[in-house]
Coordinates of all heavy atoms in Angstrom, one line a residue:
M1 N 2.3 18.2 -11.8 CA 2.5 17.6 -10.5 C 3.0 18.7 -9.6 O 3.9 19.3 -9.9 CB 3.3 16.3 -10.6 CG 3.5 15.6 -9.3 SD 4.4 14.1 -9.7 CE 4.8 13.6 -8.0
I2 N 2.5 18.7 -8.4 CA 2.9 19.7 -7.4 C 4.1 19.2 -6.7 O 4.1 18.0 -6.2 CB 1.8 20.0 -6.3 CG1 0.6 20.6 -7.1 CG2 2.3 20.9 -5.3 CD1 -0.6 20.7 -6.2
P3 N 5.3 19.9 -6.7 CA 6.5 19.4 -6.0 C 6.2 19.4 -4.5 O 5.6 20.2 -3.9 CB 7.6 20.4 -6.4 CG 6.9 21.5 -6.9 CD 5.5 21.2 -7.4
K4 N 6.7 18.4 -3.9 CA 6.6 18.2 -2.4 C 7.9 18.0 -1.8 O 8.9 17.5 -2.4 CB 5.6 17.1 -2.0 CG 6.1 15.8 -2.4 CD 5.1 14.7 -1.9 CE 5.7 13.3 -2.2 NZ 6.1 12.6 -1.0
Q5 N 8.0 18.3 -0.5 CA 9.3 18.1 0.1 C 9.3 16.6 0.5 O 8.3 16.0 0.9 CB 9.4 18.9 1.4 CG 10.6 18.9 2.2 CD 10.7 19.9 3.3 OE1 9.7 20.5 3.6 NE2 11.8 19.9 3.9
S6 N 10.5 16.0 0.4 CA 10.6 14.6 0.7 C 10.5 14.3 2.2 O 11.0 15.1 3.0 CB 11.9 14.0 0.2 OG 13.0 14.6 0.8
T7 N 9.8 13.2 2.5 CA 9.6 12.9 3.9 C 10.8 12.0 4.3 O 11.6 11.5 3.5 CB 8.3 12.2 4.1 OG1 8.3 11.0 3.3 CG2 7.2 13.1 3.7
Y8 N 10.8 11.7 5.6 CA 11.8 10.7 6.2 C 11.6 9.4 5.6 O 12.6 8.6 5.2 CB 11.7 10.7 7.6 CG 12.7 9.8 8.3 CD1 14.0 10.1 8.3 CD2 12.3 8.6 9.0 CE1 15.0 9.3 8.9 CE2 13.2 7.8 9.7 CZ 14.6 8.2 9.6 OH 15.5 7.3 10.2
R9 N 10.4 8.9 5.4 CA 10.1 7.6 4.7 C 10.5 7.6 3.3 O 11.0 6.5 2.9 CB 8.6 7.4 4.8 CG 8.2 6.0 4.2 CD 6.7 5.8 4.3 NE 6.4 4.6 3.6 CZ 5.3 4.4 2.8 NH1 4.4 5.4 2.6 NH2 5.2 3.2 2.2
D10 N 10.5 8.7 2.6 CA 11.0 8.7 1.2 C 12.4 8.5 1.2 O 12.9 7.8 0.2 CB 10.6 10.1 0.5 CG 9.2 10.2 0.3 OD1 8.4 9.3 0.3 OD2 8.7 11.3 0.2
R11 N 13.2 8.9 2.2 CA 14.6 8.8 2.1 C 15.0 7.4 2.6 O 16.1 7.0 2.3 CB 15.3 9.9 3.1 CG 15.1 11.3 2.5 CD 15.9 12.3 3.3 NE 15.5 12.4 4.7 CZ 14.7 13.3 5.2 NH1 14.1 14.2 4.4 NH2 14.3 13.3 6.5
L12 N 14.1 6.8 3.4 CA 14.5 5.4 3.9 C 14.2 4.4 2.8 O 14.9 3.3 2.8 CB 13.6 5.0 5.1 CG 14.0 5.7 6.4 CD1 13.1 5.2 7.5 CD2 15.5 5.3 6.8
Q13 N 13.3 4.6 1.9 CA 12.9 3.6 0.9 C 13.0 4.2 -0.5 O 12.1 4.5 -1.2 CB 11.6 3.1 1.1 CG 11.4 2.4 2.4 CD 9.9 2.0 2.8 OE1 9.0 2.6 2.3 NE2 9.9 0.9 3.5
P14 N 14.3 4.3 -1.0 CA 14.5 5.0 -2.3 C 14.2 4.2 -3.5 O 14.0 4.6 -4.7 CB 15.9 5.5 -2.3 CG 16.6 4.4 -1.5 CD 15.6 4.1 -0.5
W15 N 14.1 2.9 -3.4 CA 13.9 1.9 -4.5 C 12.4 1.7 -4.6 O 11.7 1.1 -3.8 CB 14.6 0.6 -4.3 CG 16.1 0.8 -4.3 CD1 17.0 0.9 -3.2 CD2 16.9 0.9 -5.4 NE1 18.2 1.0 -3.6 CE2 18.3 1.1 -5.0 CE3 16.7 0.9 -6.8 CZ2 19.4 1.3 -5.8 CZ3 17.9 1.1 -7.6 CH2 19.1 1.2 -7.2
H16 N 11.8 2.1 -5.9 CA 10.4 1.9 -6.1 C 10.3 0.9 -7.2 O 11.0 0.9 -8.2 CB 9.8 3.2 -6.6 CG 9.8 4.2 -5.4 ND1 8.9 5.3 -5.4 CD2 10.6 4.5 -4.4 CE1 9.1 6.0 -4.4 NE2 10.1 5.6 -3.7
L17 N 9.3 0.1 -7.1 CA 8.9 -0.9 -8.1 C 7.5 -0.3 -8.7 O 6.6 -0.1 -8.0 CB 8.6 -2.2 -7.5 CG 8.2 -3.4 -8.4 CD1 9.4 -3.6 -9.3 CD2 7.8 -4.6 -7.7
I18 N 7.7 0.0 -10.0 CA 6.5 0.7 -10.6 C 5.9 -0.2 -11.7 O 6.6 -1.0 -12.3 CB 6.9 2.1 -11.2 CG1 8.0 1.9 -12.3 CG2 7.3 3.0 -10.2 CD1 8.2 3.2 -13.2
R19 N 4.6 0.0 -11.9 CA 3.9 -0.7 -13.0 C 3.5 0.3 -14.1 O 3.1 1.5 -13.7 CB 2.5 -1.3 -12.4 CG 1.7 -1.9 -13.5 CD 0.4 -2.5 -12.9 NE 0.8 -3.5 -12.0 CZ -0.1 -4.0 -11.1 NH1 -1.4 -3.5 -11.0 NH2 0.2 -4.9 -10.2
H20 N 3.8 0.0 -15.3 CA 3.5 1.0 -16.4 C 2.1 0.8 -16.8 O 1.5 -0.2 -17.0 CB 4.4 0.6 -17.5 CG 5.9 0.8 -17.2 ND1 6.5 2.0 -17.2 CD2 6.8 -0.2 -16.9 CE1 7.8 1.9 -16.9 NE2 8.0 0.5 -16.7
L21 N 1.4 2.0 -16.8 CA 0.1 2.1 -17.2 C -0.1 2.8 -18.6 O 0.8 3.4 -19.1 CB -0.7 2.9 -16.1 CG -0.7 2.3 -14.8 CD1 -1.4 3.3 -13.8 CD2 -1.4 0.9 -14.7
P22 N -1.3 2.8 -19.2 CA -1.4 3.5 -20.4 C -1.2 5.0 -20.3 O -1.3 5.6 -19.2 CB -2.9 3.2 -20.9 CG -3.3 2.0 -20.0 CD -2.5 2.0 -18.8
N23 N -1.0 5.7 -21.4 CA -0.9 7.2 -21.5 C 0.3 7.6 -20.6 O 0.2 8.6 -20.0 CB -2.1 7.9 -21.1 CG -3.3 7.6 -22.0 OD1 -3.1 7.3 -23.2 ND2 -4.5 7.5 -21.5
C24 N 1.4 6.9 -20.7 CA 2.7 7.4 -19.9 C 2.4 7.5 -18.5 O 3.1 8.3 -17.9 CB 3.3 8.6 -20.6 SG 3.9 8.3 -22.3
Q25 N 1.5 6.8 -17.9 CA 1.4 6.9 -16.4 C 2.1 5.7 -15.8 O 2.3 4.7 -16.4 CB -0.2 6.9 -16.1 CG -0.9 8.0 -16.6 CD -2.4 8.0 -16.3 OE1 -2.9 7.0 -15.7 NE2 -3.1 9.1 -16.6
R26 N 2.2 5.8 -14.5 CA 2.8 4.7 -13.7 C 2.1 4.7 -12.3 O 1.7 5.7 -11.8 CB 4.3 5.0 -13.6 CG 4.7 6.2 -12.9 CD 6.2 6.3 -12.7 NE 6.5 7.5 -12.0 CZ 7.3 8.5 -12.3 NH1 8.0 8.4 -13.4 NH2 7.5 9.4 -11.5
L27 N 2.3 3.5 -11.7 CA 1.7 3.3 -10.4 C 2.9 2.6 -9.5 O 3.5 1.7 -10.0 CB 0.6 2.3 -10.5 CG 0.0 1.8 -9.2 CD1 -0.7 2.9 -8.5 CD2 -1.0 0.6 -9.5
T28 N 3.1 3.2 -8.4 CA 4.2 2.7 -7.5 C 3.5 1.4 -6.8 O 2.5 1.6 -6.0 CB 4.6 3.7 -6.4 OG1 5.2 4.9 -7.2 CG2 5.6 3.1 -5.6
V29 N 4.0 0.3 -7.0 CA 3.5 -0.9 -6.4 C 4.1 -1.2 -5.1 O 3.3 -1.5 -4.1 CB 3.8 -2.1 -7.4 CG1 3.4 -3.5 -6.8 CG2 3.2 -1.9 -8.7
A30 N 5.4 -1.0 -4.9 CA 6.1 -1.2 -3.6 C 7.3 -0.3 -3.5 O 7.8 0.1 -4.5 CB 6.5 -2.7 -3.4
R31 N 7.8 -0.1 -2.3 CA 9.0 0.7 -2.0 C 9.9 -0.2 -1.1 O 9.5 -0.8 -0.2 CB 8.7 2.0 -1.3 CG 7.9 2.8 -2.3 CD 7.0 3.8 -1.5 NE 7.8 4.6 -0.6 CZ 7.7 5.9 -0.4 NH1 6.8 6.5 -1.0 NH2 8.5 6.5 0.5
F32 N 11.2 -0.1 -1.4 CA 12.2 -0.8 -0.7 C 13.4 -0.1 -0.3 O 13.7 0.9 -1.0 CB 12.7 -2.0 -1.6 CG 11.6 -2.9 -2.0 CD1 10.9 -2.7 -3.3 CD2 11.1 -4.0 -1.3 CE1 9.9 -3.5 -3.7 CE2 10.1 -4.8 -1.6 CZ 9.5 -4.5 -2.9
A33 N 14.0 -0.5 0.7 CA 15.3 0.2 1.2 C 16.5 -0.3 0.5 O 17.5 0.4 0.3 CB 15.4 -0.1 2.7
R34 N 16.4 -1.6 0.0 CA 17.6 -2.2 -0.7 C 17.2 -2.7 -2.1 O 16.0 -3.3 -2.2 CB 18.1 -3.4 0.2 CG 18.6 -2.9 1.6 CD 19.1 -4.1 2.4 NE 18.4 -5.3 2.2 CZ 18.9 -6.5 2.3 NH1 20.2 -6.7 2.6 NH2 18.2 -7.5 2.1
R35 N 18.1 -2.6 -3.0 CA 17.8 -3.0 -4.3 C 17.6 -4.6 -4.5 O 16.7 -4.9 -5.2 CB 18.9 -2.6 -5.3 CG 18.5 -3.0 -6.7 CD 19.6 -2.5 -7.7 NE 19.3 -3.0 -9.0 CZ 18.6 -2.4 -10.0 NH1 18.3 -1.2 -9.8 NH2 18.5 -3.0 -11.2
P36 N 18.4 -5.4 -3.8 CA 18.1 -6.8 -3.8 C 16.7 -7.1 -3.4 O 16.1 -8.1 -4.0 CB 19.1 -7.4 -2.9 CG 20.2 -6.5 -2.9 CD 19.6 -5.2 -3.0
D37 N 16.1 -6.5 -2.5 CA 14.8 -6.8 -2.1 C 13.8 -6.5 -3.2 O 12.8 -7.2 -3.4 CB 14.4 -6.0 -0.8 CG 15.2 -6.4 0.4 OD1 15.7 -7.5 0.4 OD2 15.3 -5.6 1.3
A38 N 14.1 -5.3 -3.9 CA 13.2 -4.9 -5.0 C 13.3 -5.9 -6.2 O 12.3 -6.3 -6.8 CB 13.6 -3.5 -5.5
E39 N 14.5 -6.4 -6.4 CA 14.7 -7.4 -7.5 C 14.0 -8.7 -7.2 O 13.3 -9.3 -8.0 CB 16.2 -7.6 -7.7 CG 16.9 -6.4 -8.3 CD 18.4 -6.6 -8.4 OE1 18.9 -7.5 -7.7 OE2 19.0 -5.8 -9.1
S40 N 14.0 -9.1 -5.9 CA 13.3 -10.4 -5.5 C 11.8 -10.2 -5.7 O 11.1 -11.2 -6.1 CB 13.6 -10.7 -4.0 OG 15.0 -10.9 -3.9
Y41 N 11.3 -9.1 -5.2 CA 9.9 -8.8 -5.4 C 9.5 -8.7 -6.9 O 8.4 -9.3 -7.3 CB 9.5 -7.5 -4.7 CG 8.0 -7.3 -4.5 CD1 7.5 -7.9 -3.2 CD2 7.2 -6.7 -5.3 CE1 6.1 -7.7 -3.0 CE2 5.8 -6.6 -5.1 CZ 5.3 -7.1 -3.9 OH 4.0 -6.9 -3.6
L42 N 10.3 -8.1 -7.7 CA 10.1 -8.1 -9.2 C 10.0 -9.4 -9.8 O 9.2 -9.7 -10.7 CB 11.1 -7.2 -9.8 CG 11.1 -7.0 -11.3 CD1 9.8 -6.4 -11.8 CD2 12.2 -6.2 -11.9
N43 N 11.0 -10.3 -9.4 CA 11.0 -11.7 -10.0 C 9.7 -12.4 -9.6 O 9.1 -13.1 -10.4 CB 12.2 -12.4 -9.4 CG 13.5 -11.9 -10.0 OD1 13.4 -11.4 -11.1 ND2 14.6 -12.1 -9.3
A44 N 9.1 -12.2 -8.3 CA 7.9 -12.8 -7.9 C 6.7 -12.3 -8.8 O 5.9 -13.1 -9.2 CB 7.7 -12.6 -6.5
L45 N 6.7 -11.0 -9.0 CA 5.6 -10.4 -9.8 C 5.7 -10.9 -11.2 O 4.7 -11.1 -11.8 CB 5.8 -8.9 -9.7 CG 5.2 -8.1 -8.5 CD1 5.4 -6.6 -8.6 CD2 3.7 -8.5 -8.4
R46 N 6.9 -11.0 -11.8 CA 7.0 -11.5 -13.2 C 6.5 -12.9 -13.3 O 6.0 -13.3 -14.3 CB 8.5 -11.4 -13.7 CG 8.8 -10.0 -14.0 CD 10.2 -9.9 -14.5 NE 10.6 -8.5 -14.9 CZ 11.8 -8.0 -15.0 NH1 12.8 -8.8 -14.8 NH2 12.0 -6.8 -15.4
R47 N 6.7 -13.8 -12.2 CA 6.1 -15.1 -12.3 C 4.6 -15.1 -12.2 O 3.9 -15.9 -12.8 CB 6.8 -15.9 -11.3 CG 8.1 -16.5 -11.5 CD 8.6 -17.4 -10.5 NE 9.6 -16.7 -9.8 CZ 9.6 -16.5 -8.4 NH1 8.8 -17.1 -7.7 NH2 10.6 -15.7 -7.9
L48 N 4.1 -14.2 -11.4 CA 2.7 -14.2 -11.2 C 1.9 -13.4 -12.2 O 0.8 -13.8 -12.6 CB 2.3 -13.5 -9.8 CG 2.7 -14.2 -8.5 CD1 2.6 -13.4 -7.3 CD2 2.0 -15.6 -8.4
M49 N 2.5 -12.3 -12.8 CA 1.8 -11.5 -13.8 C 2.8 -11.3 -15.0 O 3.5 -10.2 -15.0 CB 1.4 -10.2 -13.2 CG 0.3 -10.4 -12.1 SD -0.3 -8.8 -11.5 CE 1.1 -8.3 -10.5
P50 N 3.0 -12.2 -15.8 CA 4.1 -12.1 -16.8 C 3.7 -11.1 -17.9 O 4.7 -10.6 -18.5 CB 4.2 -13.5 -17.4 CG 3.0 -14.2 -17.0 CD 2.5 -13.6 -15.8
A51 N 2.5 -10.8 -18.1 CA 2.1 -9.8 -19.2 C 2.1 -8.3 -18.7 O 2.0 -7.5 -19.5 CB 0.7 -10.2 -19.7
V52 N 2.3 -8.1 -17.4 CA 2.3 -6.7 -16.9 C 3.8 -6.2 -16.8 O 4.6 -6.9 -16.1 CB 1.6 -6.7 -15.5 CG1 1.5 -5.2 -15.0 CG2 0.2 -7.3 -15.7
P53 N 4.1 -5.1 -17.4 CA 5.4 -4.6 -17.3 C 5.7 -3.9 -16.0 O 4.9 -3.0 -15.5 CB 5.5 -3.6 -18.5 CG 4.1 -3.2 -18.8 CD 3.3 -4.3 -18.3
H54 N 6.7 -4.2 -15.3 CA 7.2 -3.5 -14.1 C 8.6 -3.2 -14.3 O 9.4 -3.7 -15.0 CB 7.1 -4.5 -12.9 CG 5.7 -4.8 -12.5 ND1 5.0 -5.9 -13.1 CD2 4.8 -4.3 -11.6 CE1 3.8 -6.0 -12.5 NE2 3.6 -5.0 -11.7
T55 N 9.0 -2.1 -13.5 CA 10.4 -1.6 -13.5 C 10.9 -1.2 -12.1 O 10.0 -0.7 -11.3 CB 10.5 -0.4 -14.5 OG1 10.0 -0.7 -15.7 CG2 11.9 0.1 -14.7
I56 N 12.1 -1.3 -11.8 CA 12.7 -0.8 -10.6 C 13.4 0.5 -10.9 O 14.1 0.6 -11.8 CB 13.7 -1.8 -10.0 CG1 13.1 -3.1 -9.7 CG2 14.4 -1.2 -8.9 CD1 14.1 -4.2 -9.3
V57 N 13.0 1.5 -10.1 CA 13.6 2.8 -10.3 C 14.2 3.3 -9.0 O 13.6 3.0 -7.8 CB 12.6 3.9 -10.8 CG1 12.2 3.5 -12.2 CG2 11.4 4.0 -9.9
F58 N 15.2 4.1 -9.0 CA 15.7 4.7 -7.8 C 15.3 6.2 -7.8 O 15.6 6.9 -8.7 CB 17.3 4.7 -7.8 CG 18.0 5.3 -6.6 CD1 18.1 4.5 -5.5 CD2 18.4 6.6 -6.6 CE1 18.6 5.0 -4.4 CE2 19.0 7.1 -5.5 CZ 19.2 6.4 -4.4
V59 N 14.6 6.5 -6.7 CA 14.1 7.8 -6.5 C 14.9 8.6 -5.5 O 14.9 8.2 -4.4 CB 12.6 7.8 -6.2 CG1 12.0 9.2 -6.0 CG2 11.7 7.0 -7.1
N60 N 15.7 9.5 -6.0 CA 16.6 10.3 -5.2 C 15.8 11.3 -4.4 O 15.3 12.2 -5.1 CB 17.8 10.8 -6.0 CG 18.9 11.4 -5.1 OD1 18.8 11.3 -3.8 ND2 19.9 11.9 -5.7
A61 N 15.8 11.3 -3.1 CA 15.0 12.2 -2.3 C 15.9 13.5 -2.2 O 15.2 14.5 -1.9 CB 14.7 11.6 -0.9
V62 N 17.1 13.5 -2.5 CA 17.9 14.8 -2.4 C 18.0 15.4 -3.8 O 18.5 14.8 -4.7 CB 19.3 14.5 -1.8 CG1 20.1 15.8 -1.7 CG2 19.3 13.8 -0.5
S63 N 17.4 16.6 -3.9 CA 17.5 17.2 -5.3 C 18.6 18.2 -5.3 O 18.9 19.0 -4.4 CB 16.2 17.9 -5.5 OG 15.9 18.9 -4.5
V64 N 19.4 18.0 -6.3 CA 20.6 18.8 -6.5 C 20.3 20.0 -7.5 O 19.7 19.8 -8.5 CB 21.8 18.0 -7.0 CG1 23.0 18.9 -7.2 CG2 22.0 16.9 -6.1
L65 N 20.6 21.3 -7.1 CA 20.3 22.4 -7.9 C 21.5 22.7 -8.7 O 22.6 22.8 -8.2 CB 19.9 23.6 -7.0 CG 18.6 23.4 -6.1 CD1 18.5 24.6 -5.3 CD2 17.4 23.2 -7.1
D66 N 21.3 22.9 -10.0 CA 22.5 23.3 -10.8 C 22.4 24.9 -11.0 O 21.5 25.5 -10.3 CB 22.4 22.7 -12.1 CG 21.2 23.0 -13.0 OD1 20.3 23.8 -12.5 OD2 21.1 22.6 -14.1
E67 N 23.4 25.5 -11.7 CA 23.3 27.0 -11.7 C 22.2 27.5 -12.4 O 21.9 28.7 -12.3 CB 24.6 27.4 -12.3 CG 24.8 27.0 -13.7 CD 26.0 26.1 -13.9 OE1 26.6 25.6 -13.0 OE2 26.4 26.0 -15.1
N68 N 21.4 26.8 -13.3 CA 20.3 27.4 -14.1 C 19.0 27.1 -13.4 O 18.0 27.6 -13.9 CB 20.3 26.7 -15.4 CG 21.6 27.1 -16.3 OD1 22.1 28.2 -16.0 ND2 22.0 26.2 -17.1
S69 N 18.9 26.4 -12.3 CA 17.7 26.1 -11.7 C 17.3 27.1 -10.7 O 18.1 27.8 -10.2 CB 17.6 24.7 -11.1 OG 18.6 24.6 -10.0
V70 N 15.9 27.2 -10.4 CA 15.5 28.1 -9.5 C 14.9 27.3 -8.3 O 14.1 26.4 -8.6 CB 14.3 29.0 -10.1 CG1 13.7 29.9 -9.1 CG2 14.8 29.8 -11.3
P71 N 15.3 27.6 -7.1 CA 14.8 26.8 -6.0 C 13.3 27.0 -5.8 O 12.8 28.2 -6.0 CB 15.6 27.3 -4.8 CG 16.2 28.6 -5.2 CD 16.2 28.6 -6.7
I72 N 12.6 25.9 -5.4 CA 11.1 26.1 -5.2 C 10.9 26.2 -3.8 O 11.4 25.6 -2.9 CB 10.4 24.7 -5.7 CG1 10.7 24.5 -7.2 CG2 9.0 24.7 -5.4 CD1 10.3 23.1 -7.6
Q73 N 10.0 27.2 -3.5 CA 9.7 27.5 -2.1 C 8.8 26.5 -1.6 O 7.7 26.1 -2.1 CB 8.9 28.9 -2.1 CG 8.7 29.4 -0.7 CD 8.0 30.8 -0.7 OE1 7.8 31.3 -1.8 NE2 7.9 31.3 0.4
T74 N 9.2 25.8 -0.4 CA 8.5 24.7 0.1 C 7.5 25.1 1.2 O 6.6 24.4 1.4 CB 9.5 23.7 0.8 OG1 10.2 24.4 1.7 CG2 10.4 23.1 -0.3
Q75 N 7.6 26.3 1.7 CA 6.7 26.7 2.7 C 6.1 28.1 2.3 O 6.8 28.9 1.8 CB 7.3 26.9 4.1 CG 7.7 25.6 4.7 CD 8.3 25.7 6.0 OE1 8.6 26.8 6.5 NE2 8.5 24.6 6.8
L76 N 4.8 28.3 2.5 CA 4.2 29.5 2.2 C 4.4 30.5 3.4 O 4.4 30.2 4.5 CB 2.7 29.4 1.9 CG 2.3 28.5 0.7 CD1 0.8 28.3 0.8 CD2 2.8 29.1 -0.5
P77 N 4.7 31.8 3.1 CA 4.9 32.7 4.2 C 3.6 33.0 4.9 O 2.5 33.0 4.3 CB 5.4 34.0 3.5 CG 4.9 33.9 2.1 CD 4.9 32.4 1.8
L78 N 3.6 33.1 6.2 CA 2.5 33.3 7.1 C 2.2 34.8 7.2 O 3.1 35.6 7.6 CB 2.7 32.7 8.4 CG 2.9 31.2 8.5 CD1 3.2 30.8 9.9 CD2 1.6 30.5 8.0
K79 N 1.0 35.2 6.9 CA 0.6 36.6 7.1 C -0.1 36.8 8.3 O -1.2 36.1 8.6 CB -0.2 37.1 5.9 CG 0.5 37.1 4.6 CD -0.3 37.6 3.5 CE 0.4 37.6 2.1 NZ -0.3 38.0 1.0
V80 N 0.3 37.6 9.2 CA -0.3 37.8 10.5 C -1.1 39.2 10.5 O -0.8 40.1 10.0 CB 0.7 37.8 11.6 CG1 0.1 38.1 12.9 CG2 1.6 36.6 11.6

């Protein structure tokens, strides 16, 4: 997966409701600004589709670098 810089929308809606797919894949079903909204939506999905596994995850848009990590260049240099 190619790392991307987080957008303003990503920072506004950090709670993601994901559906688990085969082969360790996942699909983002919905995104929410508040956890109680995500939990209410999850309860509705569990009533409508009880056999399909869903999970609420918090996706932190701010990445913290530790002393062993290497920062990823987000913009390519322009050659004139």
Side-chain angles (χ1 to χ4, degrees):
M1 183 171 170
I2 299 172
K4 67 176 184 109
Q5 187 174 2
S6 63
T7 62
Y8 182 66
R9 180 178 175 220
D10 294 335
R11 291 189 300 266
L12 284 179
Q13 298 175 331
W15 294 99
H16 293 206
L17 185 65
I18 61 169
R19 176 182 298 163
H20 299 280
L21 300 174
N23 298 328
C24 295
Q25 296 179 355
R26 64 178 184 230
L27 172 70
T28 301
V29 176
R31 297 159 49 142
F32 301 93
R34 300 181 320 151
R35 183 178 173 97
D37 295 339
E39 290 173 347
S40 298
Y41 198 88
L42 177 62
N43 289 335
L45 278 178
R46 283 185 177 157
R47 277 184 258 127
L48 293 172
M49 298 182 286
V52 180
H54 291 89
T55 306
I56 298 173
V57 294
F58 182 81
V59 179
N60 191 357
V62 179
S63 57
V64 178
L65 297 176
D66 62 359
E67 64 240 11
N68 297 329
S69 65
V70 177
I72 299 171
Q73 187 175 3
T74 56
Q75 293 181 349
L76 296 175
L78 297 176
K79 294 182 180 178
V80 182

